[in-house]
Amino acid sequence: MAQTAPVIAVIGGGYAGIAAIGGLAGRGRPPAELHLFDPSPGHQLMPELPSALDPGDDVARHVLPFPKLLGHRSVQWHRVRVAQVNAAQHTLTDESGTRHAFDWAVVAVGTTTFWPPVPGLAAHALPFRTATDAEAVKAALKSRRRLVVGGGGLTGVELAGELAPRYHVVLVEAAPRLLPGLGLGLARYAAERLERAGVRVMAGQRIRAVTDPDILLDGGGRIPYDTLIWAGGVAAPAGPELPGVAHDEHGYPRADAWGQVAPGVFVAGDLWIHRSARGGIWPQTAQSATADGKFAAQTIWSRVERRQPGPAFEPTNHGILVSLDPSKGVGWVVDEGIPVWGFGARVMKNLAFKRYRQQVAHAFGRRRP
């Protein structure tokens, strides 16, 4: 008797979700009924979004529409948000109340903006996590010149560097220095480069409150602003609900070494927290999310075809590159072994963007990214 093709649901079309779909629908794979659930219009190239704020650029150029992307693969796209994934019943329920049955599911919805309990922050600041956020920021910048970026991590530094040539930018970071994920020397280079471009870098300064005309700091300082962009971290998303799945103290699902949170249900990308041997958390980047998605596809097919989970996942980090302006960058490559900065780092970042687009195009049978 012929075996029925498995029904596989992928929830979230970000880096992990698209990598999972690509691996599940790739050449040589057995037939499967694949479903992608995502309410957004396309795959958002989030690391590219700061450059979309350039007046000559367009945010839409950094979003790959799902109909075009998935057109050469047998994938059904459902433009809805998933409210619940019930592992016991092997069903998911979308926001309209419609239930969908599945054999296997990959939950890869990513994270959301972290809003600390700072009075006035959420009311007055613009987040920067999605293409929709980028559109809102770009619209706000048309008539404003005094900008404050809250958060000196990867996104905050890239935003400050991108906006510095056209605006008066203040970058506020609560930690003693920028880019805690990089070495001290590289972080100093980034701060010096930004200051040379005109950015006022204020490290070791915590925002106490935000009012309409001013940002108030813990030490009593006050920063007048027109636009406040918040890039101060991420948090676990509010949904989908996962009944019966244990979560950690921060709201992330607890997964085993294969990313499985319940029989037949896996998490990937930012939802899957990887801890190092020293107890630290691996950086949540597009690179790591892509690796998670590919692994999810591999372990599902291993279970379908051989009834075995295959080898456990071993996270690796091949580098972090941060754009400081259109011509300079900073970071490290090859397992933290080689620091890079300046023009070479920026070129490497651009090549990484181009290579990813080419890989996605190849995975989905398209000639061009």
Side-chain angles (χ1 to χ4, degrees), residues 16-343:
I18 285 299
I21 288 285
L24 292 165
R27 295 183 182 89
R29 291 297 192 192
E33 185 180 319
L34 299 177
H35 298 262
L36 172 64
F37 294 83
D38 195 307
S40 62
H43 175 44
Q44 302 178 40
L45 304 175
M46 292 171 62
E48 297 184 16
L49 290 180
S51 63
L53 299 181
D54 185 287
D57 204 344
D58 185 353
V59 174
R61 195 176 69 84
H62 305 276
V63 178
L64 305 181
F66 286 132
K68 292 183 179 179
L69 181 62
L70 304 174
H72 293 269
R73 292 286 184 263
S74 298
V75 181
Q76 298 181 51
W77 170 42
H78 306 261
R79 192 172 182 177
V80 293
R81 193 178 308 278
V82 172
Q84 184 189 83
V85 179
N86 191 313
Q89 298 179 6
H90 275 248
T91 61
L92 62 84
T93 305
D94 66 34
E95 58 190 348
S96 72
T98 303
R99 298 178 69 187
H100 308 260
F102 65 83
D103 297 306
W104 306 88
V106 180
V107 184
V109 294
T111 49
T112 189
T113 299
F114 169 66
W115 295 103
V118 174
L121 179 62
H124 295 293
L126 296 174
F128 198 87
R129 285 286 298 157
T130 67
T132 300
D133 293 342
E135 293 278 15
V137 169
K138 193 163 187 175
L141 296 179
K142 290 180 180 179
S143 59
R144 303 174 186 180
R145 285 292 174 264
R146 298 176 303 171
L147 309 183
V148 175
V149 177
L154 303 181
T155 301
V157 165
E158 292 196 337
L159 283 170
E162 174 63 40
L163 296 170
R166 299 177 298 282
Y167 303 93
H168 173 70
V169 180
V170 179
L171 177 58
V172 181
E173 167 56 44
R177 66 179 180 90
L178 304 181
L179 299 172
L182 299 184
L184 182 58
L186 295 175
R188 284 176 177 166
Y189 171 84
E192 291 170 0
R193 182 74 196 179
L194 290 176
E195 288 173 339
R196 230 177 296 159
V199 177
R200 182 185 176 192
V201 177
M202 301 183 68
Q205 299 287 333
R206 189 177 299 275
I207 296 176
R208 176 169 57 87
V210 181
T211 65
D212 191 11
D214 298 299
I215 295 168
L216 310 179
L217 304 176
D218 262 352
R222 187 182 296 263
I223 308 172
Y225 73 100
D226 295 319
T227 301
L228 169 59
I229 306 172
W230 180 248
V234 297
E241 181 187 352
L242 300 169
V245 172
H247 291 67
D248 67 15
E249 65 275 18
H250 301 294
Y252 291 93
R254 294 189 183 276
D256 65 14
W258 291 266
Q260 188 169 230
V261 297
V265 178
F266 300 81
V267 290
D270 291 350
L271 277 189
W272 189 5
I273 301 298
H274 302 294
R275 298 190 180 276
S276 67
R278 298 179 180 178
I281 295 177
W282 285 85
Q284 294 169 297
T285 63
Q287 173 197 150
S288 62
T290 299
D292 284 1
K294 290 179 179 178
F295 178 82
Q298 292 169 1
T299 193
I300 286 175
W301 277 129
S302 182
R303 294 162 197 256
V304 169
E305 295 181 298
R306 297 190 291 274
R307 308 290 180 181
Q308 296 291 332
F313 184 71
E314 294 184 8
T316 58
N317 194 345
H318 299 295
I320 294 177
L321 295 168
V322 184
S323 302
L324 300 177
D325 58 43
S327 65
K328 297 291 188 295
V330 67
W332 56 262
V333 294
V334 193
D335 298 329
E336 302 190 48
I338 304 177
V340 291
W341 60 89
F343 180 72

